[in-house]
Amino acid sequence: MKLKLKIWRQKNSTSKGSIVNYNVDNISPDMSFLEMLDVLNSTLIKNDESPVSFDHDCREGICGSCSLYINGQAHGPDRAITTCQLHMRKFKDGDTIYIEPFRATSFPVIKDLVVDRSAFDRIQHAGGYISVNTSGNTQDANSIPINKTDADSAFDAATCIGCGACVATCKNSSAMLFVGAKVSQYALLPQGKVEAADRVVKMIDQMDLEGFGNCSNTGACEVECPKGISLDNIARMNRELMKSKVL
Amino acid sequence: MSLFFDSSIARKVSMALSAIFLMVFLLQHFAINLTSVFSAEIFNQISHFMGTNPLVQFVLQPILIFGVIFHFVMGFILEFRNNRSSKVKYAYNNGGANSSWMSRNMIWSGLAILSFMVLHFIDFWFPEINTKFILNDWSGLHNGEFRYFTELQHKFSYGPRVIFYCIAFCFLSLHLLHGFTSAFQSMGSTVGRKKLLQNLSYLYSICIPLGFVFIALFHFFNH
Ligand code: HEM
Ligand code: SF4
Ligand code: FES
């Protein structure tokens, strides 16, 4: 396949970036999207030009580091996948493809397509954990019965890989799907319930502090989330916060 | 509690509460207007009751005014904050791929409703306040007859006004097509995503604005 790429290039976090046009040839439909960029980069390196920077690690949809906004959609046109799981067969010969970094005021661009998502880490640090004060008499987790629906919902929420597609796709750059998933994952389990009230307040505080927007319930995040995290998690987070304030 | 009103969730919840209040009010308003189609007399009597009852005038009306102002001011605040959170725009964004036009344009449908409300206030509410509170005339009479129905007919005899009303109600419908279920979601409930409530949302968001349009057109063609 022959493709025309329109890629966001930006030298560093302070410089002004712009869209730059590239042409690539000999792209196999079986390549992954990142492999297509590898092909482009090897040509750029050969020509003594600086390669396009983009985040990636596992390349199998589990680490959440790949983060491209492709043709106006987070992780590209396919559903329930990360950018590294997107294949070139989703495109046609001669297509023009826009490739931009995930955009949000709280996700500043570091270089080209790489953005700083450490705001997510700070939200996690604020409360996305369970303090286990075992002092030598740890209880076997399996000895605490948990009903199946709660266990399933908690597990579903826990599949969030923190990629940030929800923020990138939201017109308000809201992080509520991510935070909703992290809050839910613990709030549903007895081990997490102990600190639930405290956790939801701290995580939302940090989320607001980082400058993420409000949720308008457009539902775009849920559609673009590679892990299918449900909007129900945002509703649960809202309930958890109201509970923590009223009770 | 102070922190509660300061958080993004609190802003959303209060937005939803004011919106639900407005939807209940609108239903009541619609029911009363609808009587004007069947009987001038019933419409006059209800209008007079609503216009002179102290509970309505001095308790419910101030709450309503607060609710309306709260709703659109909070709408502006949310819009402003959300724009600040997403300053850099995409060169190419395909919003329609994952969300409805209505959900992405609440501020524009809201502004259309607000401009309608300005006209509506000039048309009906300011004259009412003037008659009752400035001229101190609480009789509801004009030339010995109840004035409400004739005033209504008079307003809706002017074509451009009727057209403007109809357009505004289209925007109200768009606003509610997203807002109705969204309000439940904001309140932490997931019932808004169930079929029953979605159907109820269609029923309310389409039938109520359409009903108002019908009433306006009815009086335009029957005066
Ligand atoms: C006066 C002019 C109005 C303006 C400027 C306005 C503005 C807005 C905005 C910007 C939102 C979205 C907030 C967000 O992003 O979450 C919204 C939500 C909403 N509005 Fe309005 N609005 C107006 C009037 C009305 C009226 C008259 C009604 C109903 C009768 C209404 C019902 C709703 C509902 C149900 C929601 C959804 C609340 C939620 O998502 O929690 N609005 N409005
Ligand atoms: S909720 Fe989904 S889109 Fe958002 S960070 Fe987690 S996996 Fe990514
Ligand atoms: S590179 Fe790890 S999820 Fe894409």
Side-chain angles (χ1 to χ4, degrees), chain A residues 143-202:
Chain A
S143 68
I144 309 170
I146 299 168
N147 78 52
K148 173 95 171 106
T149 35
D150 284 350
D152 285 352
S153 302
F155 191 83
D156 286 346
T159 58
C160 165
I161 51 176
C163 66
C166 43
V167 174
T169 199
C170 175
K171 77 177 187 64
N172 308 331
S173 298
S174 167
M176 293 210 189
L177 195 65
F178 167 75
V179 183
K182 297 300 171 197
V183 164
S184 293
Q185 146 188 5
Y186 300 114
L188 284 160
L189 301 178
Q191 292 89 339
K193 281 207 168 89
V194 185
E195 294 160 293
D198 217 26
R199 174 183 307 113
V200 67
V201 173
K202 283 183 179 159

Side-chain angles (χ1 to χ4, degrees), chain A residues 76-108:
Chain A
D78 214 350
R79 290 286 171 256
I81 53 149
T82 53
T83 300
C84 58
Q85 294 171 299
L86 177 65
H87 284 86
M88 294 316 293
R89 51 178 167 270
K90 281 278 153 190
F91 301 90
K92 290 193 302 290
D93 188 37
D95 271 1
T96 300
I97 307 175
Y98 277 84
I99 310 171
E100 298 176 72
F102 278 4
R103 295 272 187 216
T105 310
S106 309
F107 284 172

Side-chain angles (χ1 to χ4, degrees), chain A residues 242, chain B residues 4-5 7-21 67 70-71 74 78 186-187:
Chain A
M242 288 191 262
Chain B
F4 184 74
F5 286 105
S7 86
S8 51
I9 311 276
R11 282 188 287 271
K12 265 309 277 181
V13 169
S14 57
M15 187 71 184
L17 279 173
S18 66
I20 290 169
F21 172 72
F70 181 92
H71 185 77
M74 187 57 97
L78 288 175
S186 297
M187 295 296 299

Side-chain angles (χ1 to χ4, degrees), chain A residues 19 69 71-73 79 98 100-105 168-169 171-173 176 201 204-205 207-208 211-220 222-224 230-232 234-235 237-239 241-242 245, chain B residues 1 3-4 6-13 77-79 81-95 97-100 103-106 178 181-183 185-190 193:
Chain A
I19 295 275
Y69 211 73
N71 273 351
Q73 288 186 72
R79 290 286 171 256
Y98 277 84
E100 298 176 72
F102 278 4
R103 295 272 187 216
T105 310
T169 199
K171 77 177 187 64
N172 308 331
S173 298
M176 293 210 189
V201 173
I204 289 171
D205 266 1
M207 171 180 82
D208 290 346
F212 290 104
N214 294 271
C215 171
S216 292
N217 303 323
T218 69
E222 174 185 66
V223 176
E224 297 295 347
S230 157
L231 227 49
D232 293 358
I234 301 184
M237 171 174 67
N238 294 3
R239 286 200 300 277
L241 185 75
M242 288 191 262
K245 290 293 162 189
Chain B
M1 240 13 212
L3 187 135
F4 184 74
D6 207 30
S7 86
S8 51
I9 311 276
R11 282 188 287 271
K12 265 309 277 181
V13 169
I77 292 174
L78 288 175
E79 181 67 15
R81 286 177 160 265
N82 293 341
N83 280 334
R84 204 174 49 185
S85 302
S86 53
K87 265 193 234 114
V88 197
K89 301 292 172 201
Y90 290 104
Y92 175 41
N93 189 22
N94 186 359
N98 46 43
S99 56
S100 71
S103 71
R104 281 175 281 127
N105 293 282
M106 291 298 273
H178 173 67
T181 50
S182 174
Q185 171 81 14
S186 297
M187 295 296 299
S189 156
T190 52
R193 313 184 75 209

Side-chain angles (χ1 to χ4, degrees), chain B residues 116 119-121 123-124 155-156 160-170 212-213 216:
Chain B
F116 160 82
L119 177 75
H120 193 58
F121 271 46
D123 272 356
F124 293 101
K155 294 288 182 201
F156 286 126
R161 178 183 283 112
V162 174
I163 292 171
F164 185 73
Y165 266 55
C166 294
I167 295 171
F169 279 110
C170 293
F212 276 108
V213 166

Side-chain angles (χ1 to χ4, degrees), chain A residues 56-66 82 84:
Chain A
H56 62 102
D57 187 15
C58 71
R59 295 209 177 196
E60 54 179 354
I62 51 174
C63 74
S65 63
C66 57
T82 53
C84 58

